[in-house]
Amino acid sequence: MNLIADSLAAKIPAFTRRDAKLPGIRGKAFAITGMRRTGKTTFLWQCLSDRLASGDPRESLLLVNFEDERLAGMQSADLRLLIEEYFAMHPGFRDSRRIGLFLDEIQAVPGWEAFCRRVMDSEQVDLFLSGSSSKMLSREVASSMRGRAMEVRVHPFSFREFLRHSGAEPDRPFRSLAKAGRS
């Protein structure tokens, strides 16, 4: 499947590091939620980048955006093909190492919840989910997983994140800055 090969070959886009943190709980999916245009997809890339920096090979980190027109009309039964094709490309990973599966805008696939629960139960997969739409609040991504997902809220930039994005973030806490630095 070209989509998988393209995803695995994709360069990590430049991003401004967000202050949102993943809870340190193993065995749970992470449901990245937040308002539209707050950086949920970017935060997925940040999580993927962090896994890469911790030593995970790039080919063990698959990010799929379900807004890709090649996936239009996908049904929950088709999601099985995604995981089977991935492991056909990387058979040495199945049952031998954990992979990171990042599913962006997953609500675009009706019935996605059952697939995600099955994959969590049957594969060595760390699952990262994001979703939003006018029909489904992004918070419902977490509740749809019936206790198997930890919600991570991504908010619009804080002032500190805005400064970071602008290249003007102070190198220490605000209170310890001299008055000229605070200004």
Side-chain angles (χ1 to χ4, degrees):
M1 183 184 271
N2 289 340
L3 182 93
I4 293 172
D6 291 349
S7 174
L8 294 173
K11 300 247 187 282
I12 297 171
F15 61 85
T16 298
R17 182 160 284 282
R18 302 302 307 269
D19 291 335
K21 302 281 186 232
L22 295 176
I25 299 174
R26 305 250 329 141
K28 299 275 189 183
F30 297 105
I32 314 305
T33 64
M35 298 183 318
R36 288 184 178 278
R37 310 295 304 158
T38 58
K40 295 181 295 292
T41 299
T42 301
F43 187 71
L44 287 178
W45 279 109
Q46 178 177 318
C47 295
L48 187 148
S49 176
D50 290 347
R51 297 276 300 251
L52 195 59
S54 72
D56 288 0
R58 179 62 179 97
E59 56 274 2
S60 72
L61 305 169
L62 178 64
L63 191 147
V64 179
N65 184 342
F66 289 96
E67 288 186 328
D68 187 315
E69 82 282 352
R70 294 173 288 180
L71 299 175
M74 191 172 209
Q75 299 296 311
S76 62
D78 301 325
L79 289 170
R80 172 187 59 81
L81 298 174
L82 177 73
I83 201 84
E84 292 303 325
E85 281 295 318
Y86 171 80
F87 282 123
M89 292 173 72
H90 300 284
F93 288 171
R94 192 167 227 164
D95 296 331
S96 67
R97 72 167 298 123
R98 294 197 73 76
I99 66 162
L101 185 57
F102 300 81
L103 305 178
D104 193 18
E105 299 295 346
I106 188 64
Q107 84 286 341
V109 181
W112 61 269
E113 305 92 336
F115 165 79
C116 290
R117 288 190 302 267
R118 180 186 63 79
V119 165
M120 286 183 65
D121 291 343
S122 63
E123 302 288 348
Q124 291 189 45
V125 170
D126 292 327
L127 197 55
F128 298 78
L129 309 168
S130 81
S132 62
S133 77
S134 59
K135 296 178 184 171
M136 182 180 94
L137 296 172
S138 55
R139 183 169 280 229
E140 292 178 33
V141 173
S143 62
S144 295
M145 290 297 292
R146 298 186 186 140
R148 294 182 184 179
M150 297 298 299
E151 182 180 15
V152 179
R153 299 279 294 160
V154 176
H155 298 281
F157 272 175
S158 67
F159 186 61
R160 180 168 289 277
E161 289 170 325
F162 167 76
L163 291 173
R164 184 179 305 143
H165 183 73
S166 302
E169 180 181 20
D171 58 357
R172 56 186 184 272
F174 177 76
R175 292 193 194 306
S176 65
L177 295 173
K179 62 184 173 183
R182 288 192 307 268
S183 296

